[in-house]
């Protein structure tokens, strides 16, 4: 083998290309409010086994560019499942394609009451 026949060294793989990315896919469009609502319906209050949308815990939703802003409450200020519910809501929203950031605001005004529950669910529960 002559020096001219030496195979060219194989370049090292690009570390950024080889490593899986945690960055959001910027090619995906921002989610719609319907997609946000569906994602939040997967979040259940573990004590009541009902989703937070039907329970009336989600007060407001907004899609601003690729940031989702959610105002939500809990059934009571001392709700022991509060951190779990809010964490699951954030996780479900971050899993949507096209999302770069999620802001979950815990609000207490107006206070939650059973009247905020979806009417069909309220009827099912006997309220």
């Amino acid at each position: 083998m002559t020096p001219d026949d030496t195979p060219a060294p194989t370049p090292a793989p690009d570390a950024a290309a080889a490593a899986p990315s945690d960055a959001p896919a910027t090619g995906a469009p921002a989610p719609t409010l319907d997609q946000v609502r569906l994602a939040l319906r997967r979040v259940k209050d573990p004590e009541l086994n009902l989703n937070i949308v039907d329970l009336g815990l989600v007060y407001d939703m907004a899609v601003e560019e690729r940031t989702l802003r959610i105002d939500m409450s809990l059934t009571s200020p001392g709700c022991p499942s509060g951190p779990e519910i809010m964490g699951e809501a954030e996780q479900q929203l971050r899993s949507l394609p096209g999302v770069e950031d999620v802001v979950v605001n815990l609000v207490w005004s107006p206070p939650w009451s059973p009247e905020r529950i979806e009417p069909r669910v309220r009827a099912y529960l006997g309220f």
Side-chain angles (χ1 to χ4, degrees):
M1 188 180 257
T2 67
D4 292 336
D5 292 339
T6 308
T10 305
D14 183 2
S21 174
D22 289 337
T26 55
T32 64
L33 285 177
D34 285 338
Q35 291 170 317
V36 170
R37 187 175 292 104
L38 285 172
L40 290 173
R41 278 208 155 98
R42 293 191 294 261
V43 180
K44 290 188 176 186
D45 180 307
E47 295 175 340
L48 301 173
N49 201 31
L50 294 169
N51 75 70
I52 63 174
V53 174
D54 288 349
L55 276 174
L57 295 177
V58 178
Y59 286 16
D60 192 30
M61 300 179 290
V63 178
E64 301 168 356
E65 302 284 325
R66 296 182 177 277
T67 298
L68 306 182
R69 296 189 184 281
I70 307 301
D71 288 347
M72 65 173 289
S73 192
L74 300 170
T75 55
S76 72
C79 176
S81 300
E84 178 183 347
I85 293 169
M86 293 182 65
E88 179 68 15
E90 182 174 350
Q91 182 181 7
Q92 288 294 332
L93 294 173
R94 286 190 185 279
S95 73
L96 293 172
V99 172
E100 290 181 2
D101 197 16
V102 173
V103 178
V104 178
N105 297 310
L106 182 60
V107 297
W108 298 110
S109 180
W112 180 87
S113 71
E115 288 79 34
R116 292 196 54 89
I117 299 174
E118 288 286 324
R120 64 183 168 73
V121 176
R122 200 171 44 232
Y124 172 77
L125 294 173
F127 287 120

